[in-house]
Amino acid sequence: MPNTLLKKALMGLTACAVAFFVVLGIVAVLPPALQEALPDNVLGGAAVLLGVAAARRFTRRAR
């Protein structure tokens, strides 16, 4: 199946969703004091970075 733009977009969206849940799971196991100390921007930035990294990995062309 050829890599279409829609397929790449769906893979990127899936990667971002998985990254969000990974970050959410990591935050859930942190102690409550540390959870309160982390700003929301840090959590959002971590989810975006993980999502972009995963999307780039899954949408690369085969050589």
Side-chain angles (χ1 to χ4, degrees):
M1 176 186 267
N3 282 338
T4 63
L5 183 59
L6 181 60
K7 183 177 177 183
K8 287 185 179 187
L10 287 175
M11 289 291 285
L13 184 64
T14 303
C16 286
V18 168
F20 173 76
F21 286 117
V22 166
V23 170
L24 197 62
I26 290 171
V27 170
V29 298
L30 291 175
L34 189 56
Q35 286 179 7
E36 294 298 323
L38 285 175
D40 292 338
N41 294 340
V42 172
L43 302 177
V48 169
L49 286 177
L50 282 174
V52 168
R56 286 186 55 125
R57 177 174 168 80
F58 289 122
T59 59
R60 286 195 179 169
R61 291 184 188 176
R63 292 185 179 194

